[in-house]
Amino acid sequence: MKELLKDLNKAFENRVRLGIMSALMVNDHLDFNTLKNLLGVTDGNLASHLRSLEKSEYITYTKVFLDRKPNTRYSATSKGREAFTKHIKAIEQLLK
Amino acid sequence: MEKEKYLQDLEEIKDIMNRSSRFISLSGLSGIFAGIFALGGAYAAYRTIYVNQDYLSYSRTLLDSDSLFKLLLIAVATIALSVITGIYFTTRETKRNNQKIWDYQTKRLLINFAIPLVSGGLLCLILLIRGYVGLVAPLTLVFYGLSLVNASKYTLNEIRSLGIAEIVLGLLAAYFIGFGLLFWSVGFGVLHIVYGILMHMRYSK
């Protein structure tokens, strides 16, 4: 049991962070507002969770301009993808 | 309990992956109506093409510019009616699912749908102008099928098999040339109605 638990990632214990990663796993990139609508959270809440995922280097962002408006696109890093896959596998093992 | 929480997590992951990558609010009703309009359009086209013909030249057609114009008019009317009802029912469905009608997903879906469809549509127009009428019905089916298969990655799974069915019909229509309109009615009319009913029963409950 201990073995299994070590693969469970603290970073994904939170619902919002779990949601962000799930969405970024199946999309090349998503912008801030799309994520906000998808998860139904406030600006501040989403921003703080995005920042914490950035800190763990699980996601990265690029800023582009659309019609002169700044647009931040988030995407998952390979490190993030790996960590997320491990986390899911650990959950599946746990539920067996 | 722990397990309960992780089960919920998995559910949530699946839900978010689906909602963020696929447009799930396609309405079955719009399929049913598109099918009915297509049958109406096919009947009108039949009356236009096969008017004043003797039985010897049945299912061989020569189009003058007058009936060609009439055919295009029928086509445009059929497409316009289907698109309008499609937008109406789909908007209603997105409201029910708390989704936005015009977002990243719809754009991606429409662009991927449009690329094969517009190329096929232009090709068919060129063929019509050049007088290769017989190839138009099979090719519209094939290209429509390809568009559906291409778009199916971004929406409900059923769209993929509908697309494959349209491609098969189109190829059959190309072989049995002269029965183009019949295959066309089955592909755009009957198949749309069948899939529309299927999807309506599956998703709109």
Side-chain angles (χ1 to χ4, degrees):
Chain A
M1 200 64 183
K2 266 270 153 59
E3 275 298 291
L4 284 172
L5 286 175
K6 85 173 174 12
D7 273 341
L8 285 173
N9 201 323
K10 274 275 184 301
F12 307 131
E13 288 289 296
N14 175 281
R15 270 289 151 81
V16 181
R17 289 201 287 270
L18 190 78
I20 295 169
M21 278 314 286
S22 312
L24 292 180
M25 288 296 281
V26 287
N27 289 281
D28 293 340
H29 54 74
L30 292 173
D31 63 18
F32 190 88
N33 282 329
T34 310
L35 279 171
K36 194 176 85 171
N37 289 328
L38 188 71
L39 302 169
V41 289
T42 62
D43 282 22
N45 195 351
L46 180 60
S48 81
H49 287 300
L50 283 170
R51 220 172 300 129
S52 101
L53 284 170
E54 265 165 47
K55 244 184 214 159
S56 338
E57 294 176 349
Y58 288 165
I59 62 170
T60 157
Y61 64 88
T62 50
K63 284 196 192 276
V64 290
F65 282 88
L66 291 178
D67 296 330
R68 293 194 205 157
K69 276 187 217 141
N71 184 280
T72 321
R73 291 177 167 171
Y74 294 90
S75 50
T77 62
S78 48
K79 190 180 167 189
R81 286 178 182 276
E82 211 174 290
F84 190 75
T85 314
K86 248 189 181 166
H87 181 70
I88 305 260
K89 285 216 177 106
I91 293 181
E92 278 169 352
Q93 285 294 322
L94 200 76
L95 291 175
K96 262 184 191 164
Chain B
M1 226 188 93
E2 278 286 276
K3 274 201 172 181
E4 203 90 305
K5 180 194 172 292
Y6 285 120
L7 265 179
Q8 260 180 19
D9 276 5
L10 280 188
E11 278 303 306
E12 182 131 337
I13 292 168
K14 243 189 255 162
D15 175 56
I16 284 173
M17 283 182 167
N18 260 330
R19 269 196 302 144
S20 67
S21 63
R22 284 161 185 259
F23 183 74
I24 53 165
S25 298
L26 272 190
S27 155
L29 287 178
S30 51
I32 298 173
F33 275 94
I36 294 169
F37 294 139
L39 286 179
Y43 180 69
Y46 175 81
R47 295 294 302 257
T48 312
I49 298 174
Y50 297 113
V51 78
N52 298 330
Q53 273 198 338
D54 53 60
Y55 286 98
L56 282 175
S57 59
Y58 186 74
S59 74
R60 276 184 180 207
T61 49
L62 284 169
L63 286 183
D64 49 42
S65 60
D66 208 33
S67 44
L68 186 63
F69 178 73
K70 235 177 161 180
L71 270 185
L72 283 180
L73 209 68
I74 294 167
V76 169
T78 312
I79 293 167
L81 276 172
S82 307
V83 169
I84 291 167
T85 47
I87 291 174
Y88 171 73
F89 285 115
T90 306
T91 315
R92 218 178 55 167
E93 193 74 14
T94 48
K95 274 190 195 138
R96 264 185 18 162
N97 289 339
N98 272 329
Q99 276 192 319
K100 281 203 293 188
I101 180 84
W102 193 240
D103 62 3
Y104 171 66
Q105 288 168 45
T106 17
K107 272 180 232 167
R108 193 172 55 178
L109 174 66
L110 285 179
I111 288 168
N112 284 291
F113 183 62
I115 293 169
L117 195 69
V118 171
S119 4
L122 291 176
L123 178 66
C124 289
L125 267 184
I126 294 167
L127 289 177
L128 263 184
I129 292 164
R130 293 287 176 192
Y132 301 105
V133 186
L135 280 174
V136 170
L139 282 181
T140 48
L141 279 167
V142 170
F143 277 100
Y144 180 62
L146 290 171
S147 310
L148 288 175
V149 171
N150 203 39
S152 67
K153 281 167 267 176
Y154 308 108
T155 185
L156 304 174
N157 279 328
E158 285 81 357
I159 297 301
R160 191 179 173 82
S161 60
L162 173 62
I164 291 168
E166 302 279 7
I167 294 172
V168 171
L169 270 178
L171 292 175
L172 283 175
Y175 186 79
F176 298 103
I177 219 148
F179 296 96
L181 202 56
L182 185 72
F183 281 104
W184 201 92
S185 316
V186 174
F188 285 100
V190 179
L191 273 185
H192 273 150
I193 295 172
V194 170
Y195 268 79
I197 292 171
L198 200 95
M199 282 166 61
H200 186 66
M201 292 198 309
R202 236 179 239 182
Y203 297 104
S204 297
K205 286 267 164 87

